[in-house]
């Protein structure tokens, strides 16, 4: 009897999805849908937060006041993105504290890209152009994802992202028009960030078993490989404006496909970084844990102050 | 008599389902309270719900809302309401709850058949 009821609820639910009617926090949803969303949204939130670290590394060393101001603004935006997404995940029944615990314990993942180091100023340009570029490619279709709070958070995020990519490209463009050393720095950053950015779209479609279900639920709107191809096509053209090269000897326009062909991805490296063996995994989590622990007294003090004010107010009323 | 209004915390989940993956030590108690944020984007418009955030008190909630939701001059006025104080209609009851309006087409101007010669109405 109960099983019958669930089957009926599931078909009503799928019907709504098929009609592009958004699902809201209080609506019935399959447990698997809820868990998939919690995992995806919290991973996404963690990525925004951890993503502040590699860029934060260069705030004090930005080459001019203009660059410093824009980099601070960008990093601040990423903190905001993390907060929008944590709030969206919380509507699904997981607490903020629990998500933070999952990040710190390593139970929750974040985008593998942020486990690479930022070695030169040009890396800040490459991150804006390629990493934010890949993120935008992923995020724009998510503005139409089936879960309302997630879609609304993505609309807000996408509005803010375009400045991130433009400021990055501007940094690279300036370097590409500079002296020999600056040009070399620009090319070196592109060389190091290209492949990790291509990997940001996740495993290829035949290695992502959950894609079909996520597409049916319209949590995802395009497959990893579809988005990756779009990204490669766009970057292959944009890099020409910089007069630089993408580090892929197999990159070639394929007239028949109407797309650029590109070389094989080093999936071994991808899985190693996911497994915690990237160049900066330990450093990133350690930095987050340290910030959280050192902020504990501030959180406690604020709670104590709020409580005291509350008591005073109650006393005044009485 | 059927009660149509149940307490529904928008950003909270305490009253209907429990967190499935919860580790059991009530981690939500470690968070500052949750607040819903409403912003008036310009004079003449309503405050609109934009999202939620955690803060120790109302003052902090307003300041955090400014930093999180109005970094690009998106607002000129902010309301915050602690999420636990929001009561909402229950989506499970929508069919019966909204049904009084279902059969009243005469509330719409198109219901009235008038000659085409009639202008400016
Ligand atoms: Fe972001
Ligand atoms: Fe960004």
């Amino acid at each position: 009897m109960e099983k019958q009821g669930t089957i009926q609820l599931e078909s009503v639910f799928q019907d709504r999805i098929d009609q592009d009617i958004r699902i809201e926090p209080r609506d019935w949803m399959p447990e698997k849908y809820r868990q998939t969303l919690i995992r995806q949204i919290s991973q996404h939130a963690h990525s925004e937060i951890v993503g502040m670290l590699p860029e934060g590394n260069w705030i004090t060393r930005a080459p001019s006041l203009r660059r410093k101001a824009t980099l601070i603004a960008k990093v601040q935006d990423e903190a905001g993105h993390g907060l929008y997404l944590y709030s969206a995940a919380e509507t699904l029944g997981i607490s903020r504290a629990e998500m933070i615990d999952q990040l710190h314990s390593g139970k929750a993942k974040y985008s593998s890209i942020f486990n690479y180091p930022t070695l030169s100023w040009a890396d800040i340009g490459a991150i804006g152009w390629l990493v934010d570029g890949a993120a935008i490619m992923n995020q724009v279709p998510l503005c139409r994802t089936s879960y309302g709070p997630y879609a609304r958070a993505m609309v807000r995020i996408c509005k803010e992202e375009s400045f991130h990519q433009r400021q990055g490209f501007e940094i690279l463009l300036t370097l590409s028009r500079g002296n020999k050393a600056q040009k070399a720095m620009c090319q070196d950053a592109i060389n190091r960030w290209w492949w990790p950015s291509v990997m940001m779209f996740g495993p290829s479609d035949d290695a992502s078993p959950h894609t079909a279900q996520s597409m049916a639920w319209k949590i995802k709107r395009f497959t990893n490989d579809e988005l990756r191809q779009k990204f490669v096509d766009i970057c292959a053209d944009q890099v020409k404006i910089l007069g630089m090269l993408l580090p892929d000897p197999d990159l070639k326009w394929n007239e028949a496909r109407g797309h650029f062909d590109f070389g094989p991805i080093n999936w071994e490296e991808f899985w190693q970084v996911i497994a915690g063996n990237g160049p900066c995994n330990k450093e990133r989590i350690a930095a987050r844990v340290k910030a959280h622990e050192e902020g504990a007294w501030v959180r406690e003090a604020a709670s104590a102050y709020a409580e005291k004010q509350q008591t005073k107010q109650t006393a005044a009323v009485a | 008599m059927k009660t149509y209004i149940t307490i529904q915390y928008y950003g909270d989940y305490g009253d209907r389902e429990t967190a499935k993956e919860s580790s059991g030590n009530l981690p939500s108690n470690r968070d500052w309270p949750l607040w819903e944020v409403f912003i008036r984007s310009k004079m003449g418009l309503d405050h609109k719900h934009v999202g939620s955030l955690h803060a120790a008190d109302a003052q902090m909630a307003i300041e955090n809302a400014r930093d999180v939701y109005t970094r690009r001059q998106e607002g000129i006025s902010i309301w915050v309401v602690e999420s636990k104080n929001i009561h909402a209609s229950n989506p499970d009851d929508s069919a019966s709850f909204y049904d009084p309006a279902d059969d009243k087409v005469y509330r719409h101007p198109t219901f009235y058949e008038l000659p085409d010669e009639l202008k400016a109405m």
Side-chain angles (χ1 to χ4, degrees):
Chain A
M1 187 65 192
E2 198 182 312
K3 181 126 197 250
Q4 188 87 42
T6 310
I7 290 168
Q8 204 173 35
L9 284 168
E10 271 191 34
S11 85
V12 171
F13 173 83
Q14 189 61 51
D15 217 50
R16 282 183 67 175
I17 300 260
D18 294 342
Q19 291 178 63
D20 273 326
I21 297 172
R22 297 274 189 275
I23 307 301
E24 294 295 339
R26 284 291 154 189
D27 297 331
W28 185 89
M29 60 186 84
E31 200 43 40
K32 200 61 199 314
Y33 176 84
R34 181 190 302 276
Q35 293 305 337
T36 304
L37 276 170
I38 287 179
R39 187 167 26 89
Q40 183 171 326
I41 301 173
S42 65
Q43 268 180 23
H44 193 161
H46 297 325
S47 302
E48 303 281 356
I49 297 300
V50 177
M52 290 192 282
L53 296 169
E55 289 182 296
N57 185 35
W58 281 90
I59 288 176
T60 54
R61 286 171 287 167
S64 69
L65 192 56
R66 178 179 186 268
R67 295 291 186 208
K68 193 196 285 266
T70 50
L71 185 56
I72 290 173
K74 179 190 190 285
V75 171
Q76 203 178 14
D77 273 355
E78 306 301 3
H81 298 174
L83 293 177
Y84 306 151
L85 289 162
Y86 280 133
S87 300
E90 282 173 85
T91 65
L92 290 157
I94 183 165
S95 72
R96 179 79 57 97
E98 187 158 12
M99 284 186 274
I100 304 292
D101 282 350
Q102 290 180 353
L103 173 67
H104 293 177
S105 72
K107 188 182 170 208
K109 303 287 178 214
Y110 54 88
S111 182
S112 57
I113 193 87
F114 301 117
N115 291 312
Y116 291 86
T118 40
L119 304 178
S120 81
W121 170 250
D123 288 24
I124 300 306
I127 288 180
W129 176 39
L130 298 172
V131 177
D132 286 86
I136 292 169
M137 195 65 76
N138 251 324
Q139 289 167 354
V140 168
L142 288 176
C143 295
R144 295 185 298 120
T145 195
S146 59
Y147 186 57
Y150 189 24
R152 292 191 287 274
M154 291 319 306
V155 169
R156 193 172 286 282
I157 288 172
C158 286
K159 267 189 209 153
E160 302 182 350
E161 282 293 348
S162 72
F163 123 67
H164 298 181
Q165 200 188 14
R166 291 173 67 95
Q167 66 90 34
F169 198 84
E170 194 194 70
I171 290 171
L172 292 183
L173 193 63
T174 306
L175 290 169
S176 77
R177 290 169 178 170
N179 62 29
K180 224 173 131 197
Q182 288 168 323
K183 283 184 176 137
M185 205 165 116
C186 181
Q187 183 62 62
D188 170 62
I190 295 171
N191 290 349
R192 282 181 292 106
W193 288 94
W194 173 248
W195 286 109
S197 302
V198 171
M199 292 178 201
M200 272 178 76
F201 297 93
S204 62
D205 295 347
D206 47 343
S208 15
H210 304 302
T211 295
Q213 180 61 77
S214 285
M215 299 276 285
W217 279 335
K218 295 189 183 171
I219 293 176
K220 271 176 119 158
R221 309 295 308 233
F222 294 99
T223 71
N224 296 352
D225 286 335
E226 284 168 347
L227 292 167
R228 186 171 6 248
Q229 181 68 62
K230 255 177 140 174
F231 176 72
V232 171
D233 289 346
I234 288 175
C235 293
D237 278 327
Q238 290 177 338
V239 76
K240 292 174 191 158
I241 296 172
L242 296 173
M244 299 281 147
L245 290 170
L246 295 176
D248 180 358
D250 296 324
L251 188 76
K252 208 171 94 228
W253 177 252
N254 182 327
E255 191 64 53
R257 287 204 312 128
H259 290 292
F260 278 90
D261 289 336
F262 54 98
I265 293 166
N266 183 350
W267 291 117
E268 173 58 21
E269 175 182 326
F270 175 78
W271 292 115
Q272 280 295 332
V273 178
I274 295 274
N277 304 319
C280 302
N281 294 56
K282 292 199 178 66
E283 188 186 326
R284 299 291 183 239
I285 291 302
R288 284 314 313 155
V289 171
K290 181 168 180 274
H292 190 70
E293 283 173 357
E294 290 181 354
W297 72 270
V298 180
R299 294 191 294 278
E300 280 160 27
S303 294
Y305 176 76
E307 214 171 297
K308 206 169 136 190
Q309 293 302 108
Q310 188 89 51
T311 319
K312 254 195 204 159
Q313 211 174 39
T314 319
V317 170
Chain B
M1 201 193 116
K2 193 155 165 40
T3 35
Y4 285 114
I5 297 172
T6 28
I7 299 179
Q8 302 279 343
Y9 303 157
Y10 174 78
D12 202 354
Y13 52 90
D15 61 328
R16 205 165 69 177
E17 58 266 288
T18 48
K20 287 286 176 335
E21 283 204 324
S22 181
S23 41
N25 57 353
L26 292 176
S28 54
N29 291 346
R30 284 157 42 208
D31 288 324
W32 284 329
L34 190 67
W35 302 75
E36 301 303 323
V37 181
F38 300 82
I39 287 178
R40 186 201 294 284
S41 57
K42 63 176 194 197
M43 293 305 273
L45 295 184
D46 293 320
H47 284 76
K48 195 175 153 225
H49 183 249
V50 293
S52 50
L53 50 75
H54 291 275
D57 57 27
Q59 186 60 34
M60 187 195 279
I62 289 173
E63 282 167 11
N64 286 358
R66 175 201 58 193
D67 293 343
V68 177
Y69 293 105
T70 66
R71 284 195 304 282
R72 288 175 177 76
Q73 298 163 300
E74 290 98 334
I76 52 156
S77 165
I78 298 174
W79 288 352
V80 293
V81 183
E82 215 181 318
S83 309
K84 70 175 188 194
N85 293 324
I86 292 196
H87 298 240
S89 60
N90 187 344
D92 295 343
D93 296 336
S94 331
S96 51
F97 188 63
Y98 297 107
D99 124 291
D102 286 352
D103 56 357
K104 298 180 179 60
V105 276
Y106 44 83
R107 284 175 171 167
H108 298 276
T110 45
F111 177 76
Y112 302 91
E113 281 177 41
L114 298 172
D116 291 344
E117 307 92 86
L118 182 70
K119 301 290 180 213
M121 189 182 282

